[in-house]
């Protein structure tokens, strides 16, 4: 059963929170990153980019040590404050008509090891170890693992009651995303929430497989160094943001390939015909609306691809996944792409207008062909995770995307 714990968060001072909270480092362009670092002295980006202070690019363990120093400076300058009592932190994030209401908590590495916390993605050992070394040096985690749970009426009732109170934070960031956070410090409410989640059979990682795997490695390392290890130490847990399944948004990743693997257009279409009924679309942009149907853009024209189910056999949850079907019937056998993560011939795109971007990229000659899919749904993710299987890379783009530095978990 799932173990969730309150924790004493390190949080931005109320008057600085909108300046501190940052998007994931990878989401910033070089120009945007430089501007934030230059004009916003409170941004969390200063902590994870400590070399900016010295006008120098710093990497490796030296960077880790300097991250720790910048973090301590934020504490010394009271940009960050530490709560005096363990709390859950109810957090609503939303933009336009999309909102998610979940809570920050500490989850157990033991649950991760015992598959109470379910995974659906492969992790790269080198990246796991690098981030574990980072955590060990800096002594804190500012990026929660996003996890989902089956909707629970009682938990929803408790949260609806909590959001009637005055929030700790309420602000809007420059990308027009609204953020509201409430502290849950009442012992009875905390105990009831612990009991509710203690009856759940599983939590599902939506985003943060490497972060959770690295937290597990960190716990193993620190346990070996602690002769009086009890299992209750902070390193036995990691920060997570839990949301009900109904409040997660899943988008698809399109696939674009640079060439047809030496085939002409006609030869390529003939090979596709083995597994697909192919129809040329005459109605402009075409996006599929059903599972096992794909949109293909090739030499200025859209095609619909309908899987011939007499030629393709569903054997498990993975074989039924559209990203896997596309890989096993087209990308690997016809286009010769075996390594979806590292092959330079394939690229991925997501987002509201990505079908247009895919078309433009093919028209401009950057790619020879593009494929559009329908989004994977939560039931498919759970089926993969429950079976201990692994999705192909770039199968899902999941929202909400959480801010760094809003709550920090210390080891």
């Amino acid at each position: 059963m799932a173990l969730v714990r309150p924790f004493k968060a390190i949080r931005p001072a109320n008057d600085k929170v909108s300046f501190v909270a940052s998007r994931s480092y990878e989401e910033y362009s070089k120009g945007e990153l430089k501007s934030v670092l230059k004009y916003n002295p409170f941004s969390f980006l200063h902590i994870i980019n400590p070399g900016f202070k010295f006008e120098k690019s710093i990497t490796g363990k030296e960077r880790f040590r300097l991250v720790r120093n910048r973090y301590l400076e934020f504490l010394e300058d009271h940009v960050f404050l530490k709560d005096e009592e363990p709390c859950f932190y109810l957090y609503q994030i939303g933009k336009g008509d999309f909102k998610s209401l979940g809570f920050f908590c500490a989850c157990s590495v033991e649950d991760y090891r015992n598959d109470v916390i379910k995974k659906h993605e492969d992790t790269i050992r080198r990246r796991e170890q690098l981030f574990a070394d980072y955590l060990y040096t800096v002594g804190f985690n500012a990026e929660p693992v996003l996890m989902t749970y089956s909707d629970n009426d009682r938990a929803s009732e408790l949260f609806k009651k909590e959001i009637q109170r005055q929030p700790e934070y309420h602000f809007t960031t420059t990308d027009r995303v609204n953020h509201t956070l409430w502290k849950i410090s009442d012992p009875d409410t905390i105990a009831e929430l612990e009991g509710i989640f203690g009856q759940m059979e599983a939590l599902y990682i939506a985003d943060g497989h490497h972060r959770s795997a690295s937290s597990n490695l960190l716990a193993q390392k620190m346990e070996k160094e602690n002769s009086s290890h009890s299992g209750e130490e902070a390193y036995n847990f990691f920060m997570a943001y839990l949301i009900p399944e109904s409040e997660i948004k899943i988008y698809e990743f399109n696939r674009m390939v640079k060439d047809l693997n030496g085939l002409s257009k006609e030869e390529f279409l003939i090979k596709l015909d083995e597994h697909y009924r192919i129809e040329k679309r005459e109605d402009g942009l075409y996006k599929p609306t059903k599972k096992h149907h794909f949109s293909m853009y090739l030499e200025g024209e859209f095609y619909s691809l309908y899987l011939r189910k007499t030629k393709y056999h569903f054997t498990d949850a993975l074989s039924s996944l559209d990203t896997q079907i596309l890989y096993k019937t087209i990308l690997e056998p016809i286009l010769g792409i075996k390594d979806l993560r590292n092959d330079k011939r394939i690229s991925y795109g997501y987002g509201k207008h990505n079908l247009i971007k895919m078309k433009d990229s093919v028209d401009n000659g950057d790619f020879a062909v593009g494929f559009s899919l329908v989004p994977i749904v939560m039931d498919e993710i759970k089926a993969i995770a429950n079976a201990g299987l692994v999705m192909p890379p770039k199968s899902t783009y999941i929202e909400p995307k959480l801010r760094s530095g809003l709550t920090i978990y210390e080891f």
Side-chain angles (χ1 to χ4, degrees):
M1 302 303 169
L3 177 62
V4 299
R5 291 277 182 86
F7 66 101
K8 298 178 182 179
I10 310 296
R11 299 187 291 112
N14 290 55
D15 63 332
K16 297 180 178 66
V17 62
S18 62
F19 301 108
V20 172
S22 72
R23 306 196 308 275
S24 174
Y25 173 76
E26 291 81 8
E27 293 186 24
Y28 292 86
S29 66
K30 288 185 179 180
E32 188 180 11
L33 180 62
K34 185 176 179 180
S35 294
V36 173
L37 291 170
K38 184 176 180 179
Y39 297 110
N40 180 3
F42 303 119
S43 173
F44 185 76
L45 293 171
H46 281 283
I47 293 178
I48 57 177
N49 291 270
F52 180 80
K53 181 176 182 179
F54 306 103
E55 299 182 353
K56 180 182 177 182
S57 177
I58 300 172
T59 59
K61 292 185 178 180
E62 183 181 22
R63 173 178 168 264
F64 298 170
R65 289 192 293 270
L66 290 177
V67 166
R68 175 69 180 174
N69 290 344
R70 295 292 85 73
Y71 171 67
L72 293 176
E73 288 172 5
F74 269 49
L75 283 170
E76 291 163 0
D77 293 341
H78 304 294
V79 177
F80 283 145
L81 305 172
K82 184 171 184 175
D83 282 332
E84 297 181 356
E85 55 188 352
C87 301
F88 289 130
Y89 299 89
L90 190 59
Y91 172 54
Q92 185 173 73
I93 181 172
K95 182 177 182 179
D97 58 358
F98 174 66
K99 285 185 179 179
S100 285
L101 179 66
F103 72 106
F104 294 108
C105 65
C107 285
S108 167
V109 294
E110 194 69 27
D111 282 353
Y112 178 84
R113 295 167 188 165
N114 293 334
D115 205 34
V116 174
I117 294 174
K118 303 281 188 178
K119 312 95 178 166
H120 68 264
E121 288 184 8
D122 253 340
T123 53
I124 301 170
R125 183 69 178 187
R126 175 181 53 81
R127 287 184 60 192
E128 290 180 26
Q129 190 60 63
L130 180 66
F131 192 57
D133 292 343
Y134 168 83
L135 294 174
Y136 182 78
T137 301
V138 303
F140 67 87
N141 190 353
E143 296 184 343
V145 176
L146 176 64
M147 291 197 277
T148 68
Y149 60 89
S150 297
D151 287 51
N152 182 279
D153 290 341
R154 180 54 185 160
S156 296
E157 289 175 9
L158 290 173
F159 294 153
K160 286 178 182 178
K161 179 180 177 182
E162 292 295 325
I163 64 175
Q164 302 306 311
R165 299 187 294 105
Q166 181 72 20
E168 291 288 316
Y169 301 144
H170 181 64
F171 63 98
T172 302
T173 42
T174 53
D175 53 356
R176 301 182 185 275
V177 176
N178 299 312
H179 309 265
T180 313
L181 182 140
W182 299 261
K183 280 173 58 175
I184 300 178
S185 57
D186 174 63
D188 292 337
T189 305
I190 288 174
E192 186 168 2
L193 285 170
E194 288 177 325
I196 290 170
F197 283 85
Q199 295 177 17
M200 293 185 183
E201 294 184 358
L203 302 173
Y204 293 85
I205 298 176
D207 191 12
H209 284 79
H210 279 92
R211 293 192 293 276
S212 49
S214 299
S215 296
N216 180 44
L217 287 181
L218 174 73
Q220 293 173 353
K221 178 180 177 65
M222 297 188 74
E223 179 179 345
K224 289 179 181 177
E225 295 178 353
N226 184 2
S227 59
S228 57
H229 171 81
S230 68
E232 294 298 316
E233 295 87 355
Y235 60 74
N236 294 292
F237 300 86
F238 59 94
M239 184 169 64
Y241 177 70
L242 306 187
I243 59 173
E245 293 171 9
S246 61
E247 300 204 18
I248 198 169
K249 181 69 174 177
I250 305 174
Y251 298 90
E252 74 281 5
F253 272 99
N254 294 342
R255 274 95 166 105
M256 296 167 287
V257 182
K258 289 186 177 295
D259 59 71
L260 298 182
N261 199 26
L263 300 171
S264 67
K265 172 186 175 181
E266 291 73 21
E267 291 170 333
F268 179 58
L269 289 173
I270 289 171
K271 286 185 176 291
L272 286 182
D273 191 71
E274 179 181 355
H275 282 289
Y276 294 94
R277 181 164 59 87
I278 306 168
E279 294 182 7
K280 187 185 295 186
R281 310 297 298 197
E282 305 292 347
D283 47 357
L285 294 172
Y286 171 67
K287 187 173 184 177
T289 57
K290 295 181 179 180
K291 294 292 180 186
H292 314 328
H293 293 184
F294 303 95
S295 166
M296 180 177 72
Y297 188 67
L298 174 68
E299 292 192 6
E301 295 176 309
F302 275 99
Y303 297 82
S304 56
L305 306 181
Y306 300 98
L307 183 67
R308 299 184 190 276
K309 295 181 181 178
T310 55
K311 296 288 293 184
Y312 183 89
H313 302 292
F314 302 110
T315 57
D316 55 22
L318 179 60
S319 68
S320 301
L321 207 65
D322 280 353
T323 51
Q324 181 73 358
I325 292 170
L326 193 69
Y327 172 63
K328 297 303 289 186
T329 60
I330 301 177
L331 297 179
E332 182 184 36
I334 301 177
L335 295 177
I337 295 173
K338 300 183 184 300
D339 187 347
L340 293 172
R341 194 182 299 276
N342 298 307
D343 195 314
K344 301 299 183 184
R345 295 171 55 227
I346 189 168
S347 187
Y348 305 89
Y350 68 89
K352 183 177 180 181
H353 303 294
N354 192 60
L355 191 64
I356 296 174
K357 293 178 182 177
M358 184 182 81
K359 178 182 181 298
D360 290 344
S361 295
V362 174
D363 288 342
N364 293 337
D366 298 326
F367 297 93
V369 63
F371 301 93
S372 178
L373 304 79
V374 298
I376 286 170
V377 298
M378 194 63 212
D379 283 346
E380 291 178 296
I381 293 177
K382 290 172 68 175
I384 293 286
N386 289 338
L389 300 171
V390 175
M391 287 186 179
K394 302 295 183 182
S395 287
T396 58
Y397 180 84
I398 293 177
E399 289 187 343
K401 293 298 181 187
L402 303 174
R403 291 307 197 265
S404 298
L406 194 58
T407 59
I408 294 174
Y409 181 78
E410 282 191 329
F411 309 116

